[in-house]
């Protein structure tokens, strides 16, 4: 695709199909690509693509993640972004649903402003659904709205919360009662060896997981869903489209 060719031109070494696949979400002036990258070291290609869409010298970018994801991904993604010339402000929050709160949204916004972000900045959400919702919400209201880039690290976030622009936080009265619709500028789903495909075994998650894999089961896939990343990739693709 054009995106893969441009990544290669920037030195991101985009692999040959089917290791990387791009889905274009056609929303007029709010259109954005969803990139599914099943190769190792996806952070290098992500940084190359981000540099293509947002010039690194225009303003600092915010990298929002949680403590669990940070241990696996933050150093590599930060290093790759800095190698491309980005000034990166990392904000690491506690993991878990309680973090999806107005208080944490305020804390993230304050931290990003303190690190020098301005109206030209981009917020990158690196994590699962909680981080995607929280960082997306902050991006939608920070300076009255800055671009948000979603980098989902769980299967459910890849197929659900990272796409469609749904953002929000919880209130005492219930979940997702305060939020916005803020379409991402880019969704980059890393399916490489270091990306765990994980979800918590609640009834809601199991139902969502069943929806995601339904098309594969209907086709009576012969390969192991638990270990074959190409299966996860096809599942995420079919769930998105």
């Amino acid at each position: 695709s054009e995106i893969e060719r441009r990544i290669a031109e920037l030195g991101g070494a985009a692999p040959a199909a089917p290791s990387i696949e791009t889905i274009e979400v056609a929303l007029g002036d709010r259109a954005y690509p969803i990139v599914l990258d099943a190769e190792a070291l996806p952070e290098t290609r992500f940084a190359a693509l981000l540099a293509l869409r947002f010039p690194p010298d225009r303003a600092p970018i915010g990298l929002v993640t949680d403590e669990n994801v940070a241990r696996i991904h933050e150093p590599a993604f930060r290093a790759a972004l800095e190698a491309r010339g980005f000034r990166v402000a990392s904000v690491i929050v506690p993991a878990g649903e309680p973090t999806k709160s107005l208080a944490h949204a305020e804390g993230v916004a304050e931290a990003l402003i303190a690190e020098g972000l301005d109206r030209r900045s981009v917020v990158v959400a690196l994590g699962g659904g909680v981080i995607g919702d929280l960082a997306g919400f902050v991006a939608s209201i920070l300076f009255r709205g800055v671009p948000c880039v979603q980098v989902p690290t769980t299967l459910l976030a890849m197929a659900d919360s990272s796409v469609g622009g749904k953002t929000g936080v919880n209130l005492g009265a219930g979940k997702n009662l305060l939020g916005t619709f803020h379409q991402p500028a880019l969704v980059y789903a890393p399916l490489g060896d270091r990306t765990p495909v994980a979800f918590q075994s609640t009834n809601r998650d199991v139902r969502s997981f069943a929806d995601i894999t339904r098309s594969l089961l209907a086709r009576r896939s012969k390969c192991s869903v638990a270990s074959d990343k190409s299966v996860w990739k096809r599942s995420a693709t079919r769930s998105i489209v």
Side-chain angles (χ1 to χ4, degrees), residues 156 198-203 205-206:
L156 295 185
F199 65 98
Q200 295 179 355
S201 297
T202 64
N203 289 337
D205 289 329
V206 170

Side-chain angles (χ1 to χ4, degrees), residues 1-237:
S1 73
E2 177 66 13
I3 285 178
E4 293 151 38
R5 184 183 66 79
R6 295 298 297 276
I7 294 174
E9 288 177 356
L10 287 169
S19 295
I20 187 168
E21 186 170 347
T22 303
I23 302 166
E24 296 291 342
V25 179
L27 292 175
D29 59 359
R30 297 177 299 156
Y32 61 91
I34 300 169
V35 180
L36 302 173
D37 187 344
E39 286 289 304
L41 304 177
E43 60 271 8
T44 60
R45 291 176 295 281
F46 168 71
L49 181 54
L50 196 67
L52 176 66
R53 300 178 72 85
F54 300 100
D57 59 353
R58 76 179 202 167
I61 65 171
L63 181 63
V64 181
T65 189
D66 68 40
E67 294 168 339
N68 292 341
V69 176
R71 285 193 292 269
I72 303 171
H73 293 291
E74 194 272 344
F77 273 84
R78 183 187 182 99
L81 290 166
E82 289 177 341
R84 285 283 167 187
F86 287 103
R87 289 171 288 160
V88 181
S90 290
V91 178
I92 301 173
V93 298
E97 188 72 20
T99 295
K100 213 171 88 171
S101 69
L102 190 56
H104 278 98
E106 180 181 6
V108 169
E110 293 277 10
L112 293 175
I113 292 170
E115 290 289 340
L117 270 72
D118 61 29
R119 290 177 177 83
R120 302 167 299 164
S121 295
V122 178
V123 173
V124 177
L126 176 65
V130 168
I131 289 298
D133 284 358
L134 176 67
F137 178 67
V138 171
S140 74
I141 59 175
L142 188 67
F143 306 116
R144 296 190 174 92
V146 298
C148 180
V149 171
Q150 295 279 351
V151 185
T153 59
T154 66
L155 181 63
L156 295 185
M158 291 173 191
D160 181 23
S161 63
S162 66
V163 298
K166 302 181 299 295
T167 82
V169 295
N170 303 331
L171 297 177
K175 287 175 56 96
N176 300 318
L177 295 183
L178 191 64
T180 64
F181 281 95
H182 187 59
Q183 296 293 344
L186 164 68
V187 177
Y188 202 99
L191 292 168
D193 292 337
R194 292 183 302 161
T195 303
V197 179
F199 65 98
Q200 295 179 355
S201 297
T202 64
N203 289 337
R204 177 176 175 272
D205 289 329
V206 170
R207 287 196 300 271
S208 298
F209 184 74
D211 290 340
I212 290 169
T213 57
R214 183 184 302 158
S215 61
L216 293 176
L217 296 176
R219 291 170 181 262
R220 298 179 181 178
S221 175
K222 300 298 183 181
C223 53
S224 170
V225 174
S227 61
D228 191 328
K229 286 188 172 61
S230 67
V231 173
W232 293 119
K233 180 184 169 189
R234 293 197 303 275
S235 178
T237 301

